[in-house]
Amino acid sequence: MTIKTPPDNILDKILKIIGKERRIIIPEDIGQIEEKFGPHVTTKVKKESFWKALFRDRNDK
């Protein structure tokens, strides 16, 4: 299975200057997708909201 992450944008660069990162949100049904279509699947993931990442504690992982 191939998982593609979205490229960094200006909001990611702003968070990096502050010392924070955005989390990646993996779909919950990824196991079902792999069972249905086999191991040769490409999946896109989403990034966490900029505002959630901005107000989250820096040490929260």
Side-chain angles (χ1 to χ4, degrees), residues 3-58:
I3 299 175
K4 291 191 174 189
T5 57
D8 288 348
N9 57 20
I10 188 72
L11 298 176
D12 293 316
K13 292 176 184 179
I14 292 170
L15 287 172
K16 191 174 279 189
I17 290 170
I18 298 172
K20 298 184 177 189
E21 291 185 359
R22 289 167 101 179
R23 292 180 180 165
I24 294 176
I25 301 170
I26 299 173
E28 293 180 12
D29 60 347
I30 201 162
Q32 294 173 352
I33 292 170
E34 190 173 10
E35 287 178 11
K36 185 175 181 180
F37 297 107
H40 306 291
V41 176
T42 302
T43 303
K44 285 187 176 180
V45 294
K46 294 183 179 181
K47 288 189 176 183
E48 176 184 34
S49 166
F50 169 76
W51 298 106
K52 285 184 181 180
L54 182 64
F55 293 117
R56 188 180 64 237
D57 185 26
R58 183 180 295 176

